[in-house]
């Protein structure tokens, strides 16, 4: 991350007054650094200065008069854990766009066993944020209650939701075309001569998973005439371990090509192939999704379907700020086209090798 955002820390329970130590702890810097920022002294980087100012805002302290005009307000950004590199990439792109518009982004990262999304939302609203961007939140889970979002929109708080869709929330949504993403992966493998193609995806309750399955089914039927594909769809977790487990099942069912719902799952699929003594792409071809940072440098470099992070982040910020500036939010979904990026994890299939 570029240091322009800070994470929310819980307020001190002892009710202590304004102290440099409190601000320093919140900002993750020394008390001396806080003092330099508050007194306008040189020798502090722009990113560190922004962290200190954001800490002041979060803790409810007024900025010194000379510093008050540097931000138009706070914008919350709620993301899943940052272990998956696609989420730091999203966060960085959104933070950059917000900063360019004069707003201070506040990053809230959900951790396993940590504060849930609802608690972060409450903390953000308590700090008086002007709006919130949710990335891959509970809005993507078809089994989750959506009143947590409708309460925000009913209060007039602008929100934008990325990677997921529901008709129950009167707010803008930003999504990649997940159906097309799956179709691009299948099309690529069919063009290479594969006909036994599996799909490794996350839990079936999530909207992006549902859509990828729809695209996969359509592609298999149109390109190969295969309509019975249930045994070729393997659900697991969106992780390396999840991808490995899903791929083991698909390899047992004779798949020579595997389309994965994330780059991390694809790395797990490659591991599963190697554990069985199979080479990638010599014996099995693997396609990922996201085109996460550094994914071009894996072994082998991963063929993947690129999620348009920059365009999606820019659209999310522009749409949110329209609401912040008084334009009523619309229940609309902006869908962005993904792009196939061919590297070296895919190769000729059995049809070509005959």
């Amino acid at each position: 991350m570029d240091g322009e955002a800070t994470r929310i820390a819980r307020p001190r329970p002892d009710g202590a007054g304004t102290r440099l130590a409190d601000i320093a702890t919140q900002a993750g810097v020394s008390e001396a650094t806080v003092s330099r920022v508050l007194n306008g002294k040189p020798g502090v980087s722009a990113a560190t200065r922004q962290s200190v100012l954001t800490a002041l805002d979060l803790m409810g302290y007024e900025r010194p008069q000379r510093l008050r005009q540097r931000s138009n307000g706070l914008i919350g950004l709620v993301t899943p854990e940052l272990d998956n590199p696609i989420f730091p990439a999203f966060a960085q792109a959104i933070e950059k766009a917000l900063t360019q518009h004069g707003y201070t982004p506040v990053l809230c990262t959900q951790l396993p066993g940590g504060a849930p999304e609802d608690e972060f939302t409450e903390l953000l609203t308590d700090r008086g944020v002007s709006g919130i961007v949710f990335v891959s939140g509970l809005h993507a889970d078809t089994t989750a209650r959506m009143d947590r979002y409708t309460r925000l929109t009913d209060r007039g708080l602008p929100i934008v939701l990325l990677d997921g869709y529901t008709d129950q929330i009167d707010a803008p949504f930003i999504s990649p075309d997940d159906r097309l993403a799956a179709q691009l992966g299948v099309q690529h493998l069919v063009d290479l001569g594969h006909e036994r193609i599996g799909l490794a995806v996350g839990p079936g309750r999530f909207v992006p998973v549902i859509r990828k399955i729809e695209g996969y089914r359509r592609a298999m039927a149109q390109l190969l005439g295969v309509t019975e594909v249930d045994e070729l769809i393997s659900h697991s977790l969106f992780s390396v371990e999840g991808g490995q487990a899903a791929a083991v099942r698909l390899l047992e069912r004779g798949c020579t090509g595997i389309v994965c719902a994330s780059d991390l799952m694809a790395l797990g699929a490659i591991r599963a192939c190697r554990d069985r003594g199979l080479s990638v792409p010599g014996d099995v071809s693997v396609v990922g999704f996201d085109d996460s940072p550094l994914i071009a440098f894996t072994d082998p470099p991963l063929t993947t379907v690129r999620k348009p992070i920059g365009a999606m982040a820019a659209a999310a910020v522009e749409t949110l700020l329209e609401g912040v500036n008084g334009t009523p939010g619309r229940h609309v979904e902006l869908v962005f086209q993904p792009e196939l990026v061919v590297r070296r994890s895919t190769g000729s299939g059995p049809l070509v090798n005959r």
Side-chain angles (χ1 to χ4, degrees), residues 89-112:
F90 256 130
Q92 187 171 32
I94 293 171
E95 290 168 9
K96 181 178 180 181
L98 285 170
T99 303
Q100 289 173 342
H101 284 85
Y103 287 85
T104 301
V106 183
L107 176 61
C108 300
T109 302
Q110 300 179 71
L111 300 174

Side-chain angles (χ1 to χ4, degrees), residues 273-315:
C273 293
R274 288 175 172 166
D275 285 350
R276 296 170 68 94
L278 301 171
S279 68
V280 177
D283 299 308
V284 181
S285 289
V286 176
V287 179
F289 175 72
D290 283 336
D291 197 28
S292 313
L294 302 181
I295 211 66
F297 305 100
T298 58
D299 180 24
L302 186 66
T303 293
T304 189
V305 179
R306 176 179 295 158
K307 181 183 289 187
I309 297 172
M312 291 176 64

Side-chain angles (χ1 to χ4, degrees), residues 213-224:
I213 291 175
E214 291 173 353
Y216 167 78
R217 288 184 182 278
R218 184 180 305 146
M220 292 292 285
Q222 293 177 347
L223 301 174
L224 295 172

Side-chain angles (χ1 to χ4, degrees), residues 26-313:
Q26 176 72 50
V29 300
S30 68
E31 292 180 43
T33 297
V34 173
S35 178
R36 296 185 73 83
V37 171
L38 297 182
N39 290 291
K41 301 293 185 181
V44 181
S45 71
T48 299
R49 186 179 302 277
Q50 186 62 57
S51 295
V52 172
L53 295 178
T54 301
L56 282 173
D57 295 337
L58 288 173
M59 299 178 76
Y61 303 145
E62 290 189 4
R63 297 185 180 192
Q65 186 65 42
R66 73 176 77 87
L67 302 176
R68 289 183 187 176
Q69 302 304 314
R70 296 197 176 188
S71 174
N72 290 326
L74 299 175
I75 299 292
L77 173 57
V78 182
T79 73
E81 67 277 2
L82 301 182
D83 292 344
N84 186 334
I86 197 63
F87 295 129
F90 256 130
Q92 187 171 32
I94 293 171
E95 290 168 9
K96 181 178 180 181
L98 285 170
T99 303
Q100 289 173 342
H101 284 85
Y103 287 85
T104 301
V106 183
L107 176 61
C108 300
T109 302
Q110 300 179 71
L111 300 174
E117 182 178 310
D118 291 342
E119 189 169 333
F120 276 135
T121 301
E122 182 179 353
L123 288 169
L124 288 169
T125 55
D126 285 347
R127 265 70 176 182
V129 294
S130 300
I132 305 177
V133 179
F134 294 91
V135 179
S136 295
L138 291 171
H139 64 279
D141 187 339
T142 58
T143 66
R145 291 168 46 205
M146 297 301 153
D147 58 350
R148 53 178 46 90
Y149 302 108
T150 57
R151 285 196 296 268
L152 298 176
T153 56
D154 288 346
R155 291 169 49 185
L157 182 70
I159 64 172
V160 173
L161 305 112
L162 275 72
D163 270 347
Y165 176 79
T166 176
D167 57 9
Q168 299 178 46
I169 307 172
D170 188 17
F173 293 81
I174 309 292
S175 305
D177 191 333
D178 288 295
R179 298 182 184 90
L180 177 59
Q183 290 175 292
L184 289 173
V186 173
Q187 177 74 68
H188 175 59
L189 294 177
V190 169
D191 290 344
L192 290 172
H194 296 271
E195 57 181 359
R196 190 73 172 168
I197 300 169
L199 179 67
V201 288
R205 68 181 186 273
F206 293 108
V207 171
V209 172
I210 294 170
R211 291 176 168 182
K212 284 186 174 72
I213 291 175
E214 291 173 353
Y216 167 78
R217 288 184 182 278
R218 184 180 305 146
M220 292 292 285
Q222 293 177 347
L223 301 174
L224 295 172
V226 178
T227 56
E228 298 297 326
V229 295
D230 286 351
E231 70 168 0
L232 300 179
I233 300 173
S234 184
H235 293 274
S236 189
L237 300 178
F238 286 109
S239 64
V240 173
E241 294 76 15
Q244 182 175 2
V248 166
R249 293 190 289 269
L250 295 175
L251 293 172
E252 290 173 349
R253 296 164 190 171
C255 292
T256 64
I258 302 176
V259 176
C260 300
S262 75
D263 289 338
L264 290 186
M265 293 189 79
L267 297 181
I270 293 174
R271 179 193 290 176
C273 293
R274 288 175 172 166
D275 285 350
R276 296 170 68 94
L278 301 171
S279 68
V280 177
D283 299 308
V284 181
S285 289
V286 176
V287 179
F289 175 72
D290 283 336
D291 197 28
S292 313
L294 302 181
I295 211 66
F297 305 100
T298 58
D299 180 24
L302 186 66
T303 293
T304 189
V305 179
R306 176 179 295 158
K307 181 183 289 187
I309 297 172
M312 291 176 64

